[in-house]
Amino acid sequence: MKIESVTSKIFRHTTNTVRDSDGHGHPGPESTTTSALLTITTDTGDTGHVVTRTSDVAEALLDRFVRPNLIGEDAMLTDRLWYKVYKWQRLGGGLLTDKMLATVDLALWDLKGKVTGQPVWKLLGGHRPKILAYGSTMCGDDLENGLATPEDYARFADWMVNTRGYKAVKLHGWMPPVPGAPDVRKDYQACAAVREAVGPDVPLMLDPHHFYSRTDTLWLANKLAELDFRWMEEPMEEASMSSYKWLTANTSLNILGPETMTGKHWTRAEWVKHDACDLVRAGVSDLGGITPAMRTAHMAECFHMSCEMHGTGAGNLSVALAIPNTSFYERGLLHPFIDYDKPKDFQNRIDDEMDADGYVHGREEPGLGQDLDMAYIDGNLVDA
Ligand code: MG
């Protein structure tokens, strides 16, 4: 079975999220945006799909990095194909991003699932049929009754746990350009208010501003340890691994990382070797796909360490369901003004439906477990 084509479609759809000047998403008025569908097709007519950012499927980049490495190849050799594309990053001048590599890898895994008639989470190992989700909030804001005050976070966390059924909660703190941010004391006040609201038994995590100093970070970490937080992630620029080694040596709070640092599973192995984290972070989009995320998870297991998946969606869910050493699936981003459970225009259902007990279940359908509305996509195409 040979790969015959790699094609993309750009389509428009509505969104209720706006980006601030630092790139963080917040609720906003309904507007139109575009996304892309990447499709890999074999000579037997089988297809693998993934929805991604339009910049991940630029025709010139598909022509240069992807099609020459995939077309004519055995579609089932996912690992070989990942390496063929990945190696072009070295002389690619930064144009072949990890997110683009991940897009290709996800479509290949979806294809493999469709061809074999199996869900990807089972192909990857199939450790559990369901996993608890943590509700992951959007960043703080200055919206009335949004996430503007510690009381807002507390009220929303109470809804997540006591109404929607989440068994764990992660806050994203206030970040610039929101007025008053960054401020470790304000972050702590929100965390303390949430702990008070949900009680002592609900696992809580914090993802704060990512550019704190060592001293601010250590103060916040020690305060979160007093609140019995499960972990904190990425409080400092991750390029300085030494700073994280210093942090983990100086606080009892668990530090999760690295999340956005480049270098895939190799970087994560270095962090483990140097005791720069207590739990390992892996996200399929950050690492270049499911293929390197699985390597990261297995590497972490060899050191008795948990590997926590970063970000939402079918790819991260597939890995979380496939491995033994993880705690939760990250579900979000959530906000009082946004209905996360409502499918997007191009979905028949969301990738990660959650039951009343806080579990997200593995799908039994072949592939990644996406249910895309192809008629919507084809009816809303825009020129690339
Ligand atoms: Mg994070």
Side-chain angles (χ1 to χ4, degrees):
M1 180 182 300
K2 304 270 194 251
I3 293 175
E4 196 167 80
S5 68
V6 179
T7 57
S8 69
K9 295 174 178 173
I10 313 287
F11 59 94
R12 76 173 67 79
H13 60 92
T14 58
T15 180
N16 290 304
T17 301
V18 293
R19 299 261 157 212
D20 66 28
S21 59
D22 273 25
H24 304 118
H26 301 284
E30 186 171 288
S31 62
T32 300
T33 188
T34 54
S35 291
L37 178 76
L38 183 78
T39 299
I40 299 177
T41 305
T42 66
D43 55 7
T44 52
D46 293 290
T47 54
H49 301 285
V50 68
V51 171
T52 188
R53 306 178 307 179
T54 56
S55 55
D56 297 327
V57 297
E59 279 297 312
L61 301 184
L62 292 176
D63 273 342
R64 181 172 168 190
F65 299 119
V66 180
R67 291 184 179 116
N69 288 309
L70 261 55
I71 291 174
E73 290 282 335
D74 183 336
M76 295 297 95
L77 302 188
T78 317
D79 204 89
R80 168 185 165 82
L81 297 175
W82 184 85
Y83 262 99
K84 282 196 76 179
V85 179
Y86 148 69
K87 284 182 177 174
W88 280 80
Q89 285 190 316
R90 181 171 171 269
L91 296 175
L95 294 172
L96 174 55
T97 63
D98 285 335
K99 284 191 167 35
M100 184 173 185
L101 181 59
T103 298
V104 173
D105 187 68
L106 285 163
L108 285 168
W109 277 106
D110 189 52
L111 173 63
K112 183 179 267 189
K114 301 272 178 52
V115 169
T116 58
Q118 293 292 324
V120 170
W121 66 274
K122 287 187 179 177
L123 289 179
L124 296 172
H127 187 79
R128 69 189 95 206
K130 64 179 182 178
I131 187 167
L132 282 174
Y134 65 81
S136 187
T137 76
M138 280 185 163
C139 299
D141 49 47
D142 55 358
L143 303 170
E144 191 174 352
N145 296 319
L147 293 173
T149 67
E151 294 72 31
D152 287 340
Y153 275 98
R155 188 170 56 248
F156 190 44
D158 176 64
W159 175 85
M160 281 194 268
V161 171
N162 294 313
T163 300
R164 186 60 185 90
Y166 285 100
K167 295 294 186 284
V169 171
K170 187 174 87 184
L171 296 77
H172 284 90
W174 288 284
M175 305 184 197
V178 172
D183 182 340
V184 284
R185 281 162 181 78
K186 205 173 162 193
D187 286 341
Y188 169 68
Q189 287 166 11
C191 293
V194 168
R195 173 54 82 206
E196 176 78 20
V198 302
D201 299 327
V202 175
L204 295 176
M205 295 77 84
L206 175 68
D207 192 349
H209 177 61
H210 309 299
F211 306 96
Y212 279 130
S213 66
R214 284 193 187 192
T215 49
D216 277 349
T217 296
L218 183 60
W219 182 88
L220 183 57
N222 289 338
K223 298 299 278 186
L224 295 186
E226 291 174 9
L227 295 174
D228 195 25
F229 265 50
R230 178 70 66 96
W231 75 62
M232 177 165 66
E233 59 192 67
E234 206 176 355
M236 301 179 284
E237 162 64 63
E238 291 181 335
S240 174
M241 185 175 69
S242 297
S243 295
Y244 281 88
K245 189 174 174 181
W246 173 87
L247 176 62
T248 58
N250 282 290
T251 184
S252 63
L253 183 73
N254 290 326
I255 303 300
L256 170 64
E259 179 170 298
T260 54
M261 190 58 204
T262 57
K264 307 175 179 64
H265 44 292
W266 294 286
T267 300
R268 280 135 190 94
E270 291 294 326
W271 277 51
V272 170
K273 176 177 176 176
H274 291 283
D275 297 319
C277 57
D278 301 293
L279 310 98
V280 181
R281 196 59 155 158
V284 296
S285 287
D286 310 306
L287 286 170
I290 285 174
T291 299
M294 289 300 293
R295 281 175 166 73
T296 303
H298 293 327
M299 177 276 294
E301 188 189 3
C302 295
F303 292 92
H304 306 303
M305 291 175 77
S306 184
C307 179
E308 301 294 335
M309 302 308 298
H310 169 226
T312 193
N316 287 306
L317 178 59
S318 296
V319 175
L321 293 168
I323 61 175
N325 54 321
T326 197
S327 313
F328 301 105
Y329 166 73
E330 178 169 15
R331 195 167 188 269
L333 299 172
L334 310 178
H335 191 280
F337 297 167
I338 288 186
D339 182 3
Y340 182 83
D341 292 298
K342 182 178 167 214
K344 294 183 168 62
D345 295 337
F346 54 87
Q347 295 174 318
N348 293 317
R349 61 160 170 74
I350 60 173
D351 293 343
D352 53 357
E353 291 173 326
M354 188 181 84
D355 69 23
D357 295 322
Y359 282 96
V360 178
H361 297 249
R363 308 289 308 188
E364 290 298 324
E365 303 94 284
L368 279 175
Q370 312 160 105
D371 189 352
L372 301 173
D373 185 344
M374 294 301 185
Y376 176 87
I377 290 173
D378 286 334
N380 289 276
L381 297 179
V382 294
D383 290 335

